[in-house]
Amino acid sequence: MDSRYSQIVREARRALASIMWPNKAAIQARAGVNMMIVRTHSSSLPELFPQHGPGRKHERPIRLAEWQQAIVDEHPDLFVRGLIQSDGCRAINKVWGGKYQYPRYFFTQESVDIMDLFTDACDRLGIEWAFTKRNTVSVAKRASVALLDEFVGPKR
């Protein structure tokens, strides 16, 4: 994880620790780079994260287990928040030579399956989105940005 976003790193560690009890989750800094590793160890990890496996995630199917989908259905806002925190950003779009500017969110992902999970959760929340590239979704409509701001906010 990017060490510049210490709040996100700490939140990820807390989330991992909450499901791994009594095992601990730890944060390890990587020397010389802006990287933090949040790690844990358990023989239960394959059951908790059945999507994990060999190879690149965009080259293999990524499907949620039924119990995972039930959680996403109950908390699509937290799911979208986590996806934006990992593979998205909030930026200021400047047009007309900077005379007009507005906030927007981007989510970039090579995995078509993960992109579908993101857009499905956005649809569920009533967030309007559009593809700006084949692997990038933009949320730019004022009401949708305001909704995302309620539960995503700036990276810190």
Side-chain angles (χ1 to χ4, degrees), residues 9-102:
V9 174
R10 287 190 309 271
E11 186 176 326
R13 190 209 59 79
R14 279 192 309 272
L16 204 54
S18 74
I19 62 170
M20 298 311 298
W21 188 89
N23 296 326
K24 295 180 180 174
I27 298 171
Q28 175 187 359
R30 292 288 300 255
V33 293
N34 277 352
M35 185 191 327
M36 305 293 280
I37 298 171
V38 180
R39 62 176 55 211
T40 191
H41 176 75
S42 171
S43 58
S44 299
L45 285 173
E47 294 170 37
L48 292 170
F49 302 103
Q51 300 76 17
H52 183 69
R56 297 175 172 172
K57 62 186 176 201
H58 67 279
E59 294 175 346
R60 58 186 158 82
I62 302 292
R63 305 280 187 264
L64 296 180
E66 270 186 53
W67 65 269
Q68 291 172 315
Q69 187 63 57
I71 293 169
V72 169
D73 289 346
E74 191 172 337
H75 304 284
D77 53 339
L78 297 177
F79 184 67
V80 166
R81 180 174 185 245
L83 288 172
I84 289 174
Q85 286 178 340
S86 66
D87 294 314
C89 69
R90 185 184 190 275
I92 302 298
N93 195 42
K94 297 177 182 179
V95 293
W96 302 321
K99 293 179 181 176
Y100 178 70
Q101 46 190 326
Y102 61 94

Side-chain angles (χ1 to χ4, degrees), residues 96-144:
W96 302 321
K99 293 179 181 176
Y100 178 70
Q101 46 190 326
Y102 61 94
R104 68 195 292 189
Y105 284 85
F106 290 101
F107 178 72
T108 302
Q109 180 56 243
E110 291 297 325
S111 167
V112 173
D113 292 339
I114 294 172
M115 186 63 79
D116 287 345
L117 291 168
F118 176 77
T119 56
D120 289 350
C122 284
D123 289 345
R124 186 177 199 89
L125 293 164
I127 294 169
E128 294 182 65
W129 54 271
F131 279 100
T132 56
K133 296 180 192 170
R134 69 165 180 76
N135 67 340
T136 304
V137 165
S138 168
V139 175
K141 297 229 175 169
R142 185 175 290 144
S144 293

